Amino acid sequence: MTDDLSVDDLRRRLPASDPLVPGRVHEVLSGVADDAEVLTYDVPARSFADVVRRGYAQDEPNLLPLVEPLGPLGDALVLVCQVESGSEIVTVLLRAADRVFLSATAYDRSAITRSPDRPRKETP
């Protein structure tokens, strides 16, 4: 299930002062138009946390605080909300059942340094 949320909805759901909301999240969202697209999708909390930890944590450790609050939720659904602004992307996690804020992060994709791909064996 996906939801129609506006950037303004996200701004109102973010706690003004919370260690789980980096200041950059507020800065990026304040510069985005109210009618900007918000990509939303539901995903089980445990699955999302596992994917982030296994697939992204090494190259993007700033994502770890995003998934830390998900442990107690088990397989309950989380609403992932993403907003792009230039090279930056904000991700906000809400509990899907009641839209309660869980965590958020912002990162600049142009600053991410990924490990180079390892050479692959060619098959004859």
Side-chain angles (χ1 to χ4, degrees):
M1 175 181 123
T2 58
D3 238 331
D4 288 330
L5 285 175
S6 69
V7 171
D8 189 53
D9 290 334
L10 286 181
R11 286 187 201 117
R12 285 184 284 129
R13 293 180 189 281
L14 291 175
S17 176
D18 187 312
L20 294 177
V21 184
R24 190 67 190 145
V25 169
H26 291 291
E27 292 170 18
V28 171
L29 288 179
S30 70
V32 176
D34 289 345
D35 63 348
E37 182 180 6
V38 178
L39 172 67
T40 61
Y41 55 94
D42 288 336
V43 64
R46 183 184 339 263
S47 298
F48 185 75
D50 288 347
V51 166
V52 169
R53 285 188 184 108
R54 282 191 245 152
Y56 298 96
Q58 184 175 354
D59 294 331
E60 299 170 25
N62 64 319
L63 293 179
L64 288 177
L66 182 70
V67 297
E68 285 175 8
L70 301 184
L73 297 177
D75 290 324
L77 291 178
V78 172
L79 182 63
V80 180
C81 308
Q82 294 183 312
V83 177
E84 292 186 44
S85 177
S87 65
E88 292 187 280
I89 186 165
V90 168
T91 302
V92 177
L93 301 183
L94 305 174
R95 198 167 47 210
D98 56 9
R99 305 305 186 254
V100 168
F101 172 80
L102 296 168
S103 62
T105 193
Y107 62 92
D108 186 341
R109 290 174 288 192
S110 68
I112 295 172
T113 56
R114 293 193 177 269
S115 303
D117 287 337
R118 293 187 181 120
R120 299 177 191 206
K121 287 186 177 180
E122 292 186 25
T123 54

